Amino acid sequence: MGNGVFDKMSLLDVNDLIVASVPVMDRFAAIEPKPWTRKTLILELIGEIGSLAHLVQYWDGFKRGRPTLSMLADESSDVLFIILRLARAEGIALPQTVAFGKEQHRQATDLVLELSRCAADLLNPASDLASGLVAMLMTLGGLTNLLGVDLAYAHHNEMEIALCYFEASGKYWPRPQLLRYPTATFRLARLLWKKRMNKRMPKDI
């Protein structure tokens, strides 16, 4: 997974993330009641950004408490997944890598609001969808860097868990079937246990 991790230049290997995401995208497309449109995907993207925004309010001190690194990683991965899925659905060839700057002098709140603005702009028929998605990748990269989240590592983990859910559930998705798919179900249980333990760890940055 090394070629997907942020390096000292703050580069995100987009191709690596797409390769990890495509099998999950295909599985979701096969079970959804009807094909998702651009509006559906943008609506989902806005919803995922909202979930991340909720955690960031705690992070920036507007609410009491503090999210764990794992929680922030999960929500960031969800936003990334929909960005990549939207690009694929619209036939947009994203750049192989995306660079992003350091964001030490900005609040996480500002970056989430920027993601929200970019997502809303995607609904404008005159907007450049490709440029908008690249801008969102850059902003998400800067945000996760600020939060101390390794976005590539988190995304690979989430894609592995998602695939395990499909394998353990079969046609009964999203309900794992221990007796029908014992190996996949036990593997899923191990991954979820590891994730749960990480969520209990205090934030260390």
Side-chain angles (χ1 to χ4, degrees):
M1 225 181 288
N3 60 337
V5 180
F6 297 132
D7 64 12
K8 295 180 181 179
M9 300 277 303
S10 297
L11 289 175
L12 186 64
D13 188 337
V14 178
N15 275 0
D16 175 62
L17 298 172
I18 292 173
V19 169
S21 303
V22 165
V24 181
M25 294 179 193
D26 290 342
R27 293 290 187 96
F28 274 120
I31 65 169
E32 286 157 357
K34 60 182 180 180
W36 283 25
T37 64
R38 179 190 292 196
K39 285 185 178 180
T40 306
L41 286 165
I42 294 175
L43 180 62
E44 184 75 5
L45 179 58
I46 291 171
E48 296 296 355
I49 293 171
S51 297
L52 180 58
H54 180 69
L55 294 182
V56 164
Q57 285 182 294
Y58 288 96
W59 170 270
D60 277 343
F62 295 107
K63 294 183 178 181
R64 292 185 180 275
R66 195 140 170 100
T68 66
L69 192 64
S70 179
M71 292 165 65
L72 291 164
D74 289 354
E75 297 300 343
S76 299
S77 172
D78 289 344
V79 173
L80 173 62
F81 180 75
I82 301 302
I83 292 173
L84 298 179
R85 184 174 177 186
L86 180 57
R88 186 185 187 216
E90 295 296 320
I92 293 172
L94 294 171
Q96 293 185 1
T97 59
V98 168
F100 52 90
K102 305 296 182 181
E103 300 286 358
Q104 291 92 336
H105 303 297
R106 298 184 68 185
Q107 283 190 315
T109 305
D110 296 328
L111 294 170
V112 172
L113 288 173
E114 188 172 323
L115 282 173
S116 301
R117 179 189 59 76
C118 288
D121 286 346
L122 298 179
L123 289 169
N124 184 349
S127 67
D128 184 341
L129 189 59
S131 297
L133 293 178
V134 171
M136 293 191 75
L137 287 173
M138 294 173 64
T139 303
L140 182 62
L143 173 62
T144 53
N145 199 13
L146 177 65
L147 297 173
V149 169
D150 184 336
L151 180 57
Y153 180 77
H155 193 64
H156 275 272
N157 282 346
E158 285 301 299
M159 295 302 96
E160 185 179 9
I161 289 173
L163 285 176
C164 236
Y165 256 113
F166 282 114
E167 293 169 4
S169 304
K171 65 179 181 180
Y172 301 96
W173 189 92
R175 296 181 293 277
Q177 304 292 308
L178 175 60
L179 298 181
R180 291 176 181 270
Y181 311 104
T183 302
T185 303
F186 281 123
R187 181 165 170 255
L188 174 62
R190 286 197 300 269
L191 288 172
L192 291 176
W193 179 84
K194 181 179 178 181
K195 179 177 176 179
R196 191 174 299 114
M197 291 301 102
N198 288 339
K199 283 192 174 183
R200 291 177 184 172
M201 295 173 63
K203 189 121 178 38
D204 55 3
I205 64 170

